Amino acid sequence: GVSESSSVSLGASRANQPVVVFDWRDAPPVAAPSSFSAARPTTTRRASSSPEAADTTVTVRWTSPITILGLLFFVPLFSSEFFFAISRQFICGSRVLAIADLCRPVIGH
């Protein structure tokens, strides 16, 4: 256990004194990472003037053919998958045994 002297001890020696494994007072001080500096000045930049912002900005052209095709394909696909997942939960959770048996695995023929 942790003794009152803020050290971690394990077991006991023959004299029934705890064996000190780690004493925090003997540990060297640890410096915080440089990215966590609290003294960092806060600056406000506009996104258009920052070269980093240009790399992280995503522009969607809604009139682009690939955008329209993607929406026409993926929106119904994900909507139908969501519908099938919800309806399967209703079928498998049914209290009617004949309906709930539809969820059992098919073994053999």
Side-chain angles (χ1 to χ4, degrees):
V2 178
S3 65
E4 289 183 10
S5 66
S6 298
S7 63
V8 176
S9 61
L10 296 173
S13 67
R14 290 184 185 181
N16 219 6
Q17 296 294 322
V19 178
V20 176
V21 175
F22 177 75
D23 189 357
W24 64 271
R25 293 172 292 187
D26 294 335
V30 178
S34 61
S35 62
F36 290 2
S37 175
R40 184 184 327 177
T42 57
T43 59
T44 56
R45 289 190 253 174
R46 291 185 9 206
S48 61
S49 66
S50 173
E52 297 109 19
D55 295 340
T56 59
T57 303
V58 176
T59 304
V60 177
R61 292 181 295 160
W62 295 104
T63 57
S64 171
I66 193 70
T67 304
I68 294 170
L69 288 175
L71 287 173
L72 288 176
F73 179 74
F74 286 108
V75 169
L77 177 71
F78 291 134
S79 298
S80 62
E81 286 292 325
F82 182 72
F83 170 76
F84 292 143
I86 295 297
S87 59
R88 179 183 173 152
Q89 294 303 313
F90 283 117
I91 291 171
C92 293
S94 175
R95 293 180 190 260
V96 179
L97 189 59
I99 295 175
D101 280 346
L102 294 172
C103 294
R104 288 189 19 210
V106 177
I107 300 175
H109 289 17

